[in-house]
Amino acid sequence: YPGGERRVSSEFHLAARRKMSLLLIFVFQDLVVPLVRACFYATENEATKQRLTWYRKPVWARVRVCCVLGSQYVELTAAEAAAAKTIHNSCNGALRLLPRGNGKGVRPILNLGRQKFASKKYPNGLKSVNFRLRDALAVLSHETRKQPEVMGSSVRGQTHILQVLLPMVRGWKAAGKPPMNVASVDIHKSYDTLKVKKVLEVVDQTLSEPDYLIKRFAAWTPRRGLRFIQKARPSSEYHPFMQEAEAIAATTRNGVLMDLVEYNYAKRADLMNLL
């Protein structure tokens, strides 16, 4: 400046900084992001893991058409479409297509935990598929704990894997056998080859009670925060909260347990119809 260096107050500097921040927010929020959304579709790719892949909108539209015309989808009859529409009007799930890379097409992924909030089309919103199936999950979890043999060699998560694997590894080492090697394999199109009718037959044989009582609890721990727990038992068995809390505390320590006083009754026939 002609008169030497111009000194500004801290208030002026903060005001100028705030104006610049608002300008940048406007540029990215109202100009850059809408323009990118209008021209490109961004998604992750199985081949690139966490890196985003950008598709021009016409290219992505062509990919979606090829996927629909491919063997991953089948045409529904009028009765099947009406039944599917009835289910869709009561629950919601979001489908997205994940590119697989290397010319393998796309993998359809259905998010069954996504709900639809209230709108003009759905004034009351739509609950997610997982929300509708939570009673069935609680009942099946109870039956598999009661009858572990029906699960065969299946494991439920990393904790259960360790419970099965560690005794075998210790016995292997105690016997003086050579070092153990672990192989990771992937079954090609495992979900596509499941026999749904056979699964339903197994579920029908597993449900041993005509009616079930489902209770819901809330648990808060410093490590995991707030989470909800549901327990199912035969309707003829009623356990007070303190007895239920002792069982939950075996796996949920250093936390607070709350009884939500939500008791639902589920009939065996209704669960099978739902599944």
Side-chain angles (χ1 to χ4, degrees):
Y1 292 93
E5 295 185 3
R6 180 181 177 184
R7 297 182 179 180
V8 297
S9 63
S10 59
E11 292 80 2
F12 180 86
H13 176 74
L14 292 176
R17 186 176 179 179
R18 174 174 172 77
K19 290 180 180 179
M20 179 58 67
S21 300
L22 294 176
L23 177 61
L24 293 176
I25 292 174
F26 166 75
V27 170
F28 278 91
Q29 181 174 316
D30 296 337
L31 297 178
V32 177
V33 174
L35 183 61
V36 171
R37 285 182 175 177
C39 300
F40 298 94
Y41 177 81
T43 181
E44 67 267 27
N45 193 313
E46 280 192 356
T48 58
K49 299 298 180 180
Q50 302 298 328
R51 293 176 55 188
L52 287 179
T53 303
W54 299 82
Y55 293 87
R56 292 185 180 273
K57 282 295 183 70
V59 175
W60 182 250
R62 182 61 180 172
V63 171
R64 294 179 61 183
V65 171
C66 293
C67 175
V68 172
L69 296 179
S71 59
Q72 293 177 327
Y73 294 90
V74 294
E75 184 177 359
L76 297 178
T77 63
E80 292 173 338
K85 184 177 181 181
T86 302
I87 297 175
H88 177 72
N89 288 338
S90 58
C91 59
N92 179 67
L95 175 67
R96 70 185 185 95
L97 304 177
L98 179 66
R100 302 182 62 184
N102 300 325
K104 296 182 180 180
V106 298
R107 182 190 300 276
I109 299 178
L110 185 60
N111 183 2
L112 299 179
R114 183 176 177 179
Q115 65 176 345
K116 187 181 291 294
F117 296 98
S119 62
K120 293 182 178 179
K121 186 176 181 180
Y122 302 100
N124 298 325
L126 289 178
K127 298 296 184 181
S128 66
V129 176
N130 288 347
F131 182 86
R132 290 197 64 202
L133 294 176
R134 62 178 186 172
D135 289 348
L137 175 62
V139 171
L140 290 176
S141 298
H142 163 74
E143 291 292 354
T144 53
R145 287 191 297 267
K146 179 181 176 182
Q147 312 172 57
E149 64 277 2
V150 302
M151 298 296 293
S153 300
S154 302
V155 289
R156 302 182 299 274
Q158 296 182 356
T159 302
H160 195 198
I161 291 175
L162 290 176
Q163 293 175 354
V164 176
L165 181 62
L166 287 181
M168 184 183 68
V169 173
R170 290 167 181 164
W172 183 280
K173 291 182 178 180
K177 296 182 179 181
M180 180 182 296
N181 296 319
V182 178
S184 176
V185 298
D186 182 22
I187 301 176
H188 181 62
K189 293 185 178 181
S190 59
Y191 289 102
D192 297 337
T193 56
L194 284 177
K195 297 181 179 179
V196 179
K197 292 184 178 180
K198 183 62 177 179
V199 173
L200 291 177
E201 290 178 4
V202 174
V203 172
D204 189 28
Q205 298 172 2
T206 303
L207 299 179
S208 60
E209 302 291 338
D211 301 283
Y212 294 89
L213 172 63
I214 302 170
K215 301 179 182 180
R216 292 187 173 85
F217 310 95
W220 183 91
T221 57
R223 181 179 178 182
R224 303 183 61 179
L226 181 65
R227 63 189 182 99
F228 298 96
I229 303 172
Q230 54 185 11
K231 297 288 185 180
R233 297 188 181 278
S235 58
S236 57
E237 297 181 9
Y238 177 81
H239 294 179
F241 174 68
M242 292 304 298
Q243 187 174 352
E244 298 280 8
E246 290 179 0
I248 297 174
T251 57
T252 305
R253 299 181 179 179
N254 301 325
V256 178
L257 300 178
M258 294 165 282
D259 188 357
L260 299 180
V261 199
E262 292 185 15
Y263 300 159
N264 292 336
Y265 287 91
K267 296 184 178 180
R268 183 176 182 275
D270 294 339
L271 293 175
M272 289 303 303
N273 291 332
L274 182 62
L275 295 174

